[in-house]
Amino acid sequence: MAVYAAAAGVLAGVESRQGSIKGLVYSSNFQNVKQLYALVCETQRYSAVLDAVIASAGLLRAEKKLRPHLAKVLVYELLLGKGFRGGGGRWKALLGRHQARLKAELARLKVHRGVSRNEDLLEVGSRPGPASQLPRFVRVNTLKTCSDDVVDYFKRKGFSYQGRASSADDLRALKGKRFLLDPVVPELLAFPAQTDLHEHPLYRAGHLILQDRASCLPAMLLDPPPGSHVIDACAAPGNKTSHLAALLKNQGKIFAFDLDAKRLSSMATLLARAGVSCCELAEDDFLAVSPSDPRYSQVRYILLDPSCSGSGMQSRQLEEPGARTPSPERLHALAGFQQRALCHALTFPSLQRLVYSTCSLCQEENEDVVRGALQQNPGAFRLAPVLPTWPLRGLSRFPGAEHCLRASPETTLSGGFFVAVIERVEAPSLTGRSVSTRMHTQPSPKEKEETATSCSCSHAAWHIAGAPGC
C-alpha cells in the first residue's frame, strides 16, 4: 500500500532533519493525511522496540532489498498496528514469510524485560501520558454555523449533550457519546478522548475547527471587537487566525504574517474552508514590518504566537525526544527572537492590547520574555489580569507574573501552553468591557435562544488577499 512507502519516506526525512513529522506529512501529497500522520507517529513511538525486534529476527539480512525505514513501518503494522487487515499487497506476503519469527522475537523481548503489554516496552517518555487522555475539543466556527445547530446535529446523530461543564472533572469524566460545552471558552465543545472527527462532514465543511483548548485562549483573550484592525504576527497554521476572524464576524482586517510559503499555502486553504474573508496573508518577516506604515495605523490588537521550543506539545516529543528539555543554547536563541518580536510589536503606535503566547513550558520563553519586554517599555504597558479562576498562573519571577496563564494536560486538560495579555497603560480599556468577566458569563447554546433573533448558518463568501488562487 502507498501509505507504507509514504510513512517510510517521512521517517527517513525526520531522521535526516529535513523537517518535522507534521511538515513532511503535509508536504508528502499523500491524500489521507490523518492516516499517514497516525502511522508515522506510532511507528516513531515504538522505534527502539521495532529496531530490536527487526535485528533479532534478522529481517534485513534475509530481505536485502527491504529498506530499514520501510521495514520498521511494516513490522509496526504487523505486530502492533492493524495487521494488514483488508490490504497490504505484496508487503503482506513478504512479512508473512517472517511473521512467526518476528512475533517470537517480540514475545522474547517482553519476557526479557519482564512486561506483558506492548506499551510497557516503551521508554517512560514515549508512553501515553495525560495528553493522550485529553478530551477532543472542537471549536464551533461561528462564521458558518452556531453552537445551537451543531449541538442539535450531534443529538440527532445519537450523541447526548450534557450542557455546560461546571469543572474540569466534568470534562475528565466524558465517556461514550456524551459531549459538553467548555466552561471557559465560548463555542468550544468537548467530546471523549480519542473521538475522531477528522473525516466528519462538519469538519470537512469548515463548520468545526479541531483545536486544543489552550490554543483557543489567545484569540479569546485578545477579544477584538468587530471592525478592528488586528495583526497576527506569526500566523501559520491558521487556527488562531480563523478564531480571530470569527470574533470579528469578518468585519475589519487581519494582517497575517509568516515566513514559510508552504505553511501559508496550507493556511490559505484552511481559512477558505472556514469562510474567512477579512484576512490579508503576507509571506513576510514580522520583524521587518514597519510600525509606521500607514496600512497599520489603525492596528490596536496584536496576537503574537512566535516560534518556540514546543516543549508543551505531545507531538513534538515524538520527533525530538529531548524537546521537553531543550538545550540552553537553543533556548537562548529562541528567547532572543521572541523578545525582539514582542518588543517590536509594542512599537505599533495605535496598539492597545496584545496577547503573547507559546506552546512552551520553559520560563526562558515565557515569563522571562514578558518581563524583558515590559522592562524595555517602563510605564507604557502592563499585564492585564484575566481569567481569575484559571488554575495555573505564571511563575512568580516578577511582580504581576500571576496575571499570566499557564496550561498543562494534568491541570487544564490541554497541551502545555503560556499566555500573557499586555495592555497599554494610557488606554487600559477600549470599550469598557471586562474580558475575564465576559468569558465566565457566556451563555450556553440553549440559554441564548431567548435573546437570539436568528442563528445564521449560511456560508460566508471568502477572499484572502495575496493568497494563492486569488
Side-chain angles (χ1 to χ4, degrees), residues 402-419:
E402 70 277 3
H403 296 322
C404 301
L405 308 180
R406 279 179 168 262
S408 73
E410 298 84 358
T411 305
T412 60
L413 301 180
S414 66
F417 215 78
F418 174 86
V419 186

Side-chain angles (χ1 to χ4, degrees), residues 368-390:
D368 288 357
V369 168
V370 171
R371 176 177 57 182
L374 292 176
Q375 287 176 342
Q376 291 189 38
N377 294 273
F381 295 93
R382 67 184 177 192
L383 282 168
V386 293
L387 297 183
T389 62
W390 189 260

